[in-house]
Amino acid sequence: ELGEGGRRVEREARHGGEVGEVEDAVVRLPVLADKPGAVDAEDHVQLQKRGVVSLLGSLISILAGFLLGFVLLLVINPSHALSGFENMILNGARDLSKFGKVLYTAAPLLMTGLSVGFAFKTGLFNIGATGQYTVGAFFALVAAIQFQMPWYVCILAAMIGGAVWGAVPGFFKNTTDVNEVIAAIMFNWISLFAVNLALNNMPMMLANAWKQPVKDRTGSLGIANPDAILPKLGMDEVLGSYMNIGIFIAVVFAIIAWVILSKTTFGYELKACGYNRSARLYAGINDKRNIVLSMAISGAFAGIGGAIYYLSGTAQFNIVKTLLPMGFNGIPVALLASSNPVGIIFSALFVSYIQVGGETLQPEYAKEIIDIIIAAIIYLSAFSLLVQGGISRLLRRRDSAADAGKEDR
């Protein structure tokens, strides 16, 4: 049974619709008709192949990024290149306090990576994660400082704020067909200046209201509301002062995202909307609703990332005129993991590990040079999709040659 969407496409085909789209929908319709996870043996083999290709592509890209980073170190300061590279690779695991900082830094990265990756899985490009991250951080801090709420209420507030901010570009794409990339970029800047304006007009939010000598940032939670700081559960005594439960919250949400996308009918419909427009119409899926919901869920993940970072008790929101980089850093995290929520856990840890390791390159290398080297490693790693495409083509050629050999025999 096709459903209303399917009957509409069928009528368009009979009355001069785009035949190519309809034929493509017919080809893909049986896949959509199956239950999630119902694959035969051949499909299972194909899924395993894709998993191997994805892993190889990511590993090759990471190695290429490390090689480029080492070349840059050689060009900039040859005498310290080898020791600097060694420190960058090993620093994050040298002691437990460094490893604790890796986990601390990875938590918000994981959430923004989930934000971007979830949208990718549903055929959307959520470049607005930094705006949703900013709004989520603002909602969390308002709940913490202005309303003196505990940390879990602050995270809920951030989730709601990020979801609303993410849903707006989805709504515009739904109703007026505005590209979500254009809308999300504009909303990044709107979020930044709206939050700055709001903070400047909320005296209790600023540090000078809590007897701190600055007024260009929010008050320290240690003074304003210690109950809003994420619990450490004694882990700070082992893994250093940065450590809190943020990484565990992020991992839980990554698992939830994986369950939604892989084990539910709702997630199956979301992915179907991203794979093929005509097929989703044939299956009777409400694609417009799913666009808004997908962007809202992505925004919620980014908002939670903002809450995890600013509720750590070690960071204060600075009123600046530049976009926060954490949302953009989520893009290579998602690409490196091929947008797989479980893979994003490991790619976020990797990116965080490199960032913490890069701190040891000073004073032999200037801070700006360190940022360039880390960016080169991270963003070259994000080319894993291109590498995966190359590996897939090689495997197809090998399979075709093997089939041709069998036919000759």
Side-chain angles (χ1 to χ4, degrees):
E1 293 184 6
L2 299 179
E4 182 57 34
R7 286 191 287 273
R8 183 168 64 252
V9 175
E10 190 179 41
R11 286 196 298 271
E12 289 175 0
R14 289 174 180 171
H15 295 86
E18 296 186 20
V19 177
E21 286 190 3
V22 176
E23 287 177 347
D24 194 34
V26 172
V27 170
R28 292 180 180 264
L29 182 58
V31 177
L32 290 173
D34 289 338
K35 294 180 180 179
V39 293
D40 55 22
E42 185 178 349
D43 291 332
H44 185 66
V45 170
Q46 291 300 321
L47 286 172
Q48 284 184 327
K49 272 189 178 180
R50 283 200 292 270
V52 171
V53 168
S54 177
L55 179 61
L56 284 176
S58 297
L59 289 176
I60 291 172
S61 298
I62 288 170
L63 291 175
F66 277 130
L67 180 61
L68 178 59
F70 182 63
V71 170
L72 289 173
L73 290 176
L74 281 173
V75 171
I76 296 165
N77 190 343
S79 61
H80 291 92
L82 190 58
S83 60
F85 187 75
E86 180 185 354
N87 288 333
M88 186 172 63
I89 297 297
L90 300 178
N91 183 55
R94 277 203 168 122
D95 57 65
L96 290 175
S97 63
K98 293 292 184 184
F99 184 67
K101 190 172 183 181
V102 169
L103 297 177
Y104 159 81
T105 310
L109 260 180
L110 201 165
M111 294 308 303
T112 54
L114 273 182
S115 174
V116 177
F118 192 92
F120 275 153
K121 280 290 189 182
T122 60
L124 299 168
F125 185 13
N126 182 24
I127 201 172
T130 187
Q132 297 144 20
Y133 177 89
T134 302
V135 171
F138 172 72
F139 271 60
L141 289 171
V142 168
I145 300 174
Q146 192 78 23
F147 297 104
Q148 296 291 298
M149 293 288 115
W151 63 271
Y152 48 87
V153 176
C154 299
I155 289 180
L156 180 61
M159 182 172 67
I160 294 171
V164 170
W165 205 254
V168 175
F171 173 78
F172 283 129
K173 182 177 179 66
N174 183 358
T175 56
T176 61
D177 202 27
V178 174
N179 188 285
E180 76 275 7
V181 174
I182 302 299
I185 290 173
M186 299 305 296
F187 270 82
N188 283 340
W189 289 102
I190 292 171
S191 67
L192 174 69
F193 292 117
V195 167
N196 286 350
L197 179 64
L199 288 176
N200 280 318
N201 287 278
M202 299 173 72
M204 287 297 294
M205 291 293 296
L206 300 179
N208 60 343
W210 300 94
K211 298 181 180 180
Q212 293 177 278
V214 290
K215 60 179 181 179
D216 63 342
R217 64 195 64 180
T218 56
S220 170
L221 289 182
I223 300 172
N225 182 10
D227 289 338
I229 298 175
L230 294 177
K232 298 181 184 292
L233 302 181
M235 292 182 291
D236 55 323
E237 297 177 6
V238 179
L239 297 173
S241 59
Y242 286 100
M243 190 60 191
N244 56 45
I245 65 169
I247 185 64
F248 302 108
I249 294 172
V251 168
V252 167
F253 277 106
I255 294 171
I256 291 172
W258 178 80
V259 170
I260 290 173
L261 290 172
S262 303
K263 302 296 180 181
T264 67
T265 302
F266 172 63
Y268 194 66
E269 289 183 357
L270 289 178
K271 291 191 291 184
C273 288
Y275 288 149
N276 184 282
R277 181 178 182 274
S278 299
R280 71 194 184 212
L281 290 173
Y282 247 68
I285 295 173
N286 188 341
D287 60 319
K288 291 187 175 181
R289 179 202 66 183
N290 287 340
I291 286 172
V292 177
L293 288 177
S294 176
M295 289 297 291
I297 294 171
S298 297
F301 286 148
I304 293 168
I308 288 174
Y309 183 73
Y310 287 102
L311 296 180
S312 64
T314 57
Q316 294 170 264
F317 190 96
N318 292 316
I319 300 175
V320 294
K321 296 182 179 180
T322 55
L323 294 173
L324 301 177
M326 190 68 75
F328 295 118
N329 290 344
I331 297 175
V333 168
L335 291 175
L336 188 58
S338 299
S339 300
N340 183 297
V342 176
I344 287 172
I345 297 173
F346 298 100
S347 63
L349 287 170
F350 165 73
V351 172
S352 174
Y353 187 89
I354 293 301
Q355 289 178 335
V356 172
E359 296 174 359
T360 61
L361 294 177
Q362 289 182 295
E364 287 79 11
Y365 297 90
K367 184 180 183 302
E368 292 75 15
I369 294 173
I370 297 168
D371 291 338
I372 292 171
I373 292 170
I374 294 173
I377 292 173
I378 292 172
Y379 284 98
L380 190 56
S381 299
F383 278 93
S384 60
L385 286 176
L386 296 178
V387 178
Q388 290 169 27
I391 295 173
S392 296
R393 285 191 293 271
L394 288 174
L395 289 175
R396 282 197 297 269
R397 288 174 187 170
R398 188 194 67 178
D399 292 343
S400 299
D403 292 339
K406 289 179 182 178
E407 290 176 1
D408 291 340
R409 287 197 296 271

